[in-house]
Amino acid sequence: MNMNKSLNIFLMCGVMLALAMLASCGADRNLKKGEKYLAVGEYFDAANEFKQAYQKTPPKQRDKRGHAASRMALCYSKSLQTAKGIAAYRNVIRYKQDHPQDHLVLAQLLMKNGSYKEASTEFQAVLDSMPDNALARVGLSSAKEAPTVKELGSRYTVKKMDIFNSRRAEYSPMLFGDEFDQLYFTSSRNEAQGDELSGITGTKPADIFFSEKDDKGKWSKPEPVNGGLNTDYDEGACCFSPDGSEMYLTQCATDPSYPRYAQIVKSSRSDAAWGKASEVKLSNDTLSSFAHPAISPDGEWLYFVSDMPGGKGGLDIWRVRLTASGLGGVENLGEPINTPGDEMFPTFRPNGDLYFSSNGHKGLGGLDIYIARVGKDHRYHLYHPGYPLNSAGDDFGMTFEGPHNQGFFSSNRGDGRGWDHIYSFYNPEIVQTVKGWVYEMEGYELPAAEVYVVGDDGTNEKLSVRSDGSFTKVLDKGVSYLFLATCKGYLNHKEEIRALSDPKESRDTTLQFALANISAPTLIDNIFYDFDKATLRDSSKTALDQLVKLLNENPNVTIELSAHTDYKGSEAYNKRLSQRRAESVVNYLIQHGIAADRLTPVGYGKSKPKTIKKKVTEKYPFLKEGDVLTEDFIKALKNEKEEEICNQLNRRTEFMVLRTTYGLFDEQGKLKKQPKKQPSVNKKDLQDDNYDIIFD
């Protein structure tokens, strides 16, 4: 009996030993698979393998169990699973497999969890062994100050936008369109393209989605972007060129045996659809990632994020100049923006402020949003916008609704899975803005125009002109500004404005820049004469003064000033009347300082009936582009009202540019030495000065 019992115990021990050996072998296999996944950045799949290895390893094998916990903790921290990461790192410490770096990451996760007191303890533990660790030093200050910063709050209001969000991740919103009525963002929701789940996140690879706002302000249900933009790969963090014709975004190609290096790609818009994207080759470096593109408001620079050599540590923000001939050299933004931590998701407010997110500066935990402004010393100065725009979680990806401090951003605050969602924000600032339009006189908008602005505070910049010929500029209090609109083939136009020193409410000013075509007659609208006479009416003064201003702004231009009549009356009479009317306008211009030899009055009578431009047909649908308002054409209408409209159109005053070299040459035909002018709008200076930012 005793012998049988002993035999049974022996057999049971043998079975248990065998099971333990099998479990150990299984754990080793899980560890090896986990390392393979980790090597290519598939953190979600790697974490699952390390978790199984941990569970299969007996508690008595403390070193081995601690190692599995360490690898599992690393993957949880990389895949933004904060609570699981904290638990895993505590196991690492419990099994005495911890190193200072483990305590640093644990402290950072505790910050993201809002556990500031515990985070302080862990940061201090890091500093006890590594007193020069910059991230631990900043982290300790953050942990101590965060409760006060949170309590102070700010003027920001934040709201979760359920219309855009799903049960998966949504991030990096970007407003689009002249009216900011389209929102593009990244999402890994079930409607994303592709069938495979990402080994990085455990969800579908992310795609670009968009939503539109109707006339009542209601946003539509998000849909994937049509065309060839989205693929089975990850697409995300998009931005747009100032004219809206190009989209820059991040794309991560998939290779089972290769790390997921991100790259920046570009897509062009055609027929309201975004086409297949192509790589933007920023460097010959094939071992670094390039992501999170942002275009400066003037369209001259592409900002991006990279871990390439030469940075400050972790991920840094860089920039490269965009030129007609290609890309310039890359520049690291340096201090104070970049740190030994990660700086990510740059974006711009239309006023030129750079917004980005970082875990290397003092903050509330995770990625915080920071504002970088260029001061008069040509250096960046950083501002923390406080709570609730920032939180203990990751906050990033700002986009602005025009010049006002409102729009959308993304955050994973309060999401235990670490998934990001889209929030709205609003800060009730008092903002003074100029909304301008550049268009052809008697014609359509001029998106090819260039607008420059100088201010008595040292402002000197080029503004972006949108597809509808509009531009926006935020004004600083009490500053006087000069705006210059120019376009090839057109005369220049200037406008001046002074911002209020102490505005009580937001103020929008509208400026019109009607440019005169150099190669075609330009109608001078609202010129009125007494009936059957050449006497100018007082109501013509505004239009005539505008013409004086135009000629003063373009001092090297000579013009032909022409007057026209309708077909009624004899040819000789109409010619004499129109000549006298043209001379009346010229006399007015001379009286107001315009040199007589710059002006040629011509009366054409009824010999040059008006040819209809497309713009006129929008007001008078009975006319077609190219119609010539001859006597026969008008009489054929058989409608008195329409006939009178045509006669009114024929009774017009126009000017035509004859020369653009007036005053430039002497009697021998040699170029005169031009007098030195006071500093004003100079394109070269603008291009040089505007980008003279000192990077440390």
Side-chain angles (χ1 to χ4, degrees):
M1 185 79 173
N2 289 338
M3 187 179 270
N4 289 338
K5 187 175 180 181
S6 298
L7 181 61
N8 287 337
I9 292 172
F10 178 78
L11 291 172
M12 287 178 64
C13 289
V15 170
M16 291 175 67
L17 180 62
L19 291 172
M21 291 178 66
L22 286 170
S24 181
C25 290
D28 288 340
R29 283 196 295 270
N30 290 126
L31 282 171
K32 287 181 180 178
K33 288 180 69 175
E35 293 295 345
K36 286 183 179 179
Y37 286 132
L38 181 59
V40 294
E42 295 188 340
Y43 304 116
F44 183 86
D45 287 347
N48 286 336
E49 295 296 333
F50 291 134
K51 182 180 179 181
Q52 291 185 58
Y54 178 87
Q55 292 173 335
K56 291 177 182 179
T57 303
K60 291 184 178 180
Q61 298 182 21
R62 298 181 64 83
D63 291 355
K64 196 171 181 179
R65 220 172 193 229
H67 174 70
S70 175
R71 306 307 278 167
M72 183 170 45
L74 173 64
C75 293
Y76 283 143
S77 67
K78 292 288 189 181
S79 59
L80 307 180
Q81 299 183 73
T82 302
K84 290 183 178 181
I86 291 171
Y89 274 115
R90 281 174 171 160
N91 281 331
V92 175
I93 296 170
R94 182 159 65 95
Y95 287 108
K96 300 186 184 305
Q97 296 296 304
D98 53 306
H99 302 280
Q101 183 64 28
D102 296 315
H103 288 272
L104 178 61
V105 180
L106 174 58
Q108 291 170 334
L109 291 175
L110 289 166
M111 288 289 294
K112 292 181 70 172
N113 202 46
S115 304
Y116 297 128
K117 189 174 181 179
E118 294 175 79
S120 294
T121 302
E122 296 299 329
F123 281 127
Q124 188 61 59
V126 177
L127 290 171
D128 289 342
S129 57
M130 295 190 301
D132 295 329
N133 189 288
L135 290 176
R137 191 165 56 250
V138 169
L140 182 60
S141 296
S142 297
K144 290 179 177 180
E145 296 175 19
T148 302
V149 173
K150 192 171 179 179
E151 186 177 349
L152 284 173
S154 70
R155 290 169 60 85
Y156 283 92
T157 55
V158 167
K159 179 183 178 183
K160 194 173 183 181
M161 297 297 293
D162 291 336
I163 184 64
F164 304 133
N165 297 318
S166 70
R167 297 178 64 186
R168 297 292 185 265
E170 286 81 30
Y171 58 94
S172 293
M174 186 59 58
L175 285 162
F176 181 73
D178 296 330
E179 301 299 324
F180 309 100
D181 55 357
Q182 297 177 51
L183 185 73
Y184 288 74
F185 61 90
T186 307
S187 178
S188 60
R189 63 185 63 199
N190 292 335
E191 293 82 4
Q193 195 165 309
D195 299 320
E196 299 291 329
L197 296 181
S198 169
I200 305 172
T201 62
T203 65
K204 277 193 165 186
D207 278 347
I208 305 294
F209 286 72
F210 82 104
S211 174
E212 285 189 282
K213 185 167 62 175
D214 62 21
D215 295 339
K216 297 180 180 179
K218 184 179 179 181
W219 290 96
S220 65
K221 181 182 177 182
E223 297 178 357
V225 172
N226 59 5
L229 178 68
N230 288 322
T231 68
D232 291 345
Y233 303 146
D234 277 296
E235 282 88 23
C238 68
C239 70
F240 303 97
S241 60
D243 64 2
S245 64
E246 294 177 326
M247 176 195 296
Y248 292 79
L249 66 153
T250 308
Q251 188 179 79
C252 300
T254 299
D255 186 326
S257 61
Y258 204 69
R260 303 310 197 256
Y261 294 118
Q263 62 182 8
I264 292 174
V265 296
K266 180 173 69 174
S267 170
S268 297
R269 185 176 175 89
S270 178
D271 297 328
W274 294 100
K276 185 178 179 181
S278 58
E279 183 182 1
V280 179
K281 195 72 173 177
L282 295 168
S283 168
N284 292 323
D285 183 348
T286 60
L287 299 178
S288 301
S289 289
F290 303 88
H292 307 166
I295 303 294
S296 59
D298 57 18
E300 300 285 345
W301 293 91
L302 169 63
Y303 287 67
F304 61 95
V305 170
S306 180
D307 58 355
M308 73 173 102
K312 299 295 181 179
L315 294 168
D316 277 10
I317 299 176
W318 303 68
R319 72 175 189 172
V320 61
R321 190 187 289 272
L322 300 171
T323 71
S325 58
L327 301 177
V330 297
E331 302 175 354
N332 187 286
L333 265 60
E335 298 177 353
I337 290 178
N338 291 322
T339 71
D342 293 326
E343 280 68 49
M344 308 165 72
F345 300 99
T347 189
F348 284 92
R349 189 174 172 185
N351 66 358
D353 289 348
L354 171 64
Y355 285 67
F356 68 98
S357 293
S358 171
N359 59 15
H361 294 283
K362 272 198 297 187
L364 298 180
L367 292 171
D368 269 26
I369 295 167
Y370 298 85
I371 307 168
R373 296 191 181 114
V374 179
K376 293 184 178 180
D377 58 357
H378 297 283
R379 297 177 183 270
Y380 278 117
H381 298 266
L382 299 189
Y383 304 88
H384 186 274
Y387 178 87
L389 187 66
N390 285 313
S391 69
D394 292 321
D395 307 293
F396 61 97
M398 302 285 285
T399 185
F400 295 87
E401 190 176 334
H404 302 286
N405 201 351
Q406 63 186 54
F408 304 99
F409 73 109
S410 41
S411 175
N412 63 4
R413 61 184 70 188
D415 193 297
R417 300 159 298 183
W419 287 344
D420 307 299
H421 300 291
I422 294 174
Y423 291 76
S424 67
F425 71 90
Y426 172 63
N427 187 336
E429 292 180 342
I430 294 177
V431 180
Q432 298 182 80
T433 62
V434 162
K435 182 72 176 286
W437 277 270
V438 188
Y439 55 93
E440 179 186 5
M441 284 185 177
E442 244 193 314
Y444 291 92
E445 60 276 353
L446 291 171
E450 295 178 329
V451 177
Y452 299 87
V453 58
V454 294
D456 59 7
D457 65 338
T459 297
N460 199 342
E461 61 186 277
K462 177 184 175 183
L463 304 179
S464 294
V465 179
R466 292 186 283 270
S467 59
D468 64 347
S470 68
F471 65 88
T472 304
K473 169 66 180 174
V474 177
L475 309 180
D476 290 332
K477 296 177 182 177
V479 177
S480 293
Y481 295 91
L482 172 66
F483 292 83
L484 170 68
T486 180
C487 189
K488 187 176 181 180
Y490 296 84
L491 299 182
N492 298 334
H493 184 69
K494 297 177 184 176
E495 291 287 348
E496 296 182 47
I497 188 172
R498 182 174 179 82
L500 298 178
S501 299
D502 186 27
K504 305 302 181 187
E505 58 184 7
S506 292
R507 179 170 177 256
D508 296 326
T509 302
T510 300
L511 296 179
Q512 305 281 351
F513 294 81
L515 305 190
N517 194 319
I518 292 176
S519 58
T522 299
L523 176 70
I524 311 172
D525 211 3
N526 297 318
I527 299 293
F528 306 103
Y529 307 90
D530 288 342
F531 178 71
D532 207 26
K533 295 180 181 179
T535 307
L536 286 164
R537 294 182 180 178
D538 290 342
S539 52
S540 305
K541 188 176 184 299
T542 300
L544 291 170
D545 288 345
Q546 285 295 318
L547 183 56
V548 171
K549 183 173 181 260
L550 178 68
L551 291 169
N552 282 327
E553 291 172 354
N554 299 272
N556 302 119
V557 165
T558 65
I559 64 170
E560 175 190 277
L561 196 295
S562 61
H564 304 260
T565 66
D566 57 32
Y567 69 84
K568 299 174 182 177
S570 71
E571 184 173 342
Y573 176 82
N574 283 330
K575 191 169 180 62
R576 287 195 302 272
L577 177 62
S578 62
Q579 181 66 33
R580 288 190 291 119
R581 286 178 170 179
E583 290 170 357
S584 292
V585 174
V586 165
N587 288 335
Y588 183 96
L589 300 177
I590 293 171
Q591 291 167 11
H592 288 78
I594 306 300
D597 57 350
R598 295 178 62 192
L599 310 168
T600 302
V602 180
Y604 285 103
K606 60 181 180 180
S607 64
K608 289 191 175 184
K610 186 177 179 66
T611 300
I612 299 300
K613 294 183 178 181
K614 187 178 179 180
K615 192 73 173 176
V616 178
T617 66
E618 296 176 3
K619 186 176 182 180
Y620 305 114
F622 71 93
L623 295 172
K624 301 191 298 292
E625 185 180 9
D627 284 345
V628 182
L629 306 185
T630 62
E631 181 176 353
D632 291 341
F633 177 91
I634 296 172
K635 288 181 176 179
L637 292 172
K638 297 179 179 179
N639 181 303
E640 289 186 6
K641 187 177 179 180
E642 292 177 354
E643 287 181 17
E644 180 53 29
I645 289 171
C646 291
N647 284 325
Q648 288 176 1
L649 292 172
N650 273 335
R651 296 191 294 267
R652 66 198 191 277
T653 303
E654 297 175 333
F655 73 87
M656 175 102 175
V657 175
L658 299 177
R659 289 190 297 141
T660 58
T661 58
Y662 175 83
L664 295 179
F665 300 93
D666 60 23
E667 294 178 355
Q668 285 74 43
K670 295 181 179 179
L671 185 67
K672 291 181 181 178
K673 186 177 180 181
Q674 298 299 301
K676 289 185 177 180
K677 297 181 179 179
Q678 293 297 316
S680 61
V681 184
N682 183 289
K683 292 185 184 180
K684 185 180 183 302
D685 291 343
L686 282 160
Q687 292 169 352
D688 291 342
D689 294 346
N690 194 34
Y691 311 118
D692 187 19
I693 301 173
I694 299 172
F695 300 138
D696 296 322

